[in-house]
Amino acid sequence: MFGSTSNGSDDLNTPSDGDAVLYAYSKEDGMLLQVALEDSGSVCTTVVEDGGKYYFVSKAGKLYEAEITDGQLKVAVKTKLAGKSTCTPVIEGGKAYIGYSAGIQVIDLTTGEVTAAYSTPADV
């Protein structure tokens, strides 16, 4: 599973970051599934799997949760981060730890709520 760059500018000053695409490829049968990600900005992270669900972050600062159900790729925005991100989420104990433009946020994957936030002296 991997994401694309967006058709937007990914610029901090633009109202839309453009749309990217998430792809799921099966090396066993060559099947390719895809779904558009509206106003996502580019997907510059690795997609990580945990418990049959897949997580990734877009440059627009959105944490996504994806799954393949009945041959369909389904994607939902889990939460919006406090800033743009190109960091691969770390999944541990039902939480996602994600670096973004001004720090690190911890997201509860059940509720999508931010449970902790840490500022950093520079972009992560």
Side-chain angles (χ1 to χ4, degrees):
M1 197 170 291
F2 57 95
S4 73
T5 56
S6 75
N7 60 2
S9 71
D10 284 333
D11 185 283
L12 288 170
N13 300 314
T14 58
S16 170
D17 291 300
D19 305 335
V21 177
L22 180 69
Y23 297 95
Y25 174 75
S26 170
K27 66 181 179 180
E28 283 82 28
D29 62 14
M31 183 168 60
L32 180 68
L33 304 173
Q34 65 186 58
V35 63
L37 305 170
E38 187 175 317
D39 279 337
S40 62
S42 296
V43 176
C44 299
T45 71
T46 300
V47 179
V48 293
E49 187 270 338
D50 184 66
K53 296 191 178 186
Y54 301 87
Y55 299 94
F56 61 97
V57 176
S58 72
K59 201 165 183 182
K62 297 175 184 176
L63 170 65
Y64 290 87
E65 180 181 272
E67 62 184 324
I68 299 173
T69 306
D70 299 325
Q72 298 277 324
L73 180 57
K74 300 182 187 228
V75 178
V77 175
K78 200 66 177 168
T79 195
K80 177 92 168 93
L81 302 174
K84 293 183 180 270
S85 180
T86 57
C87 296
T88 297
V90 173
I91 310 297
E92 176 63 38
K95 296 184 185 323
Y97 298 80
I98 305 165
Y100 70 100
S101 58
I104 299 169
Q105 287 186 297
V106 181
I107 312 296
D108 183 304
L109 293 175
T110 303
T111 64
E113 294 181 17
V114 176
T115 61
Y118 307 96
S119 60
T120 56
D123 289 355
V124 177

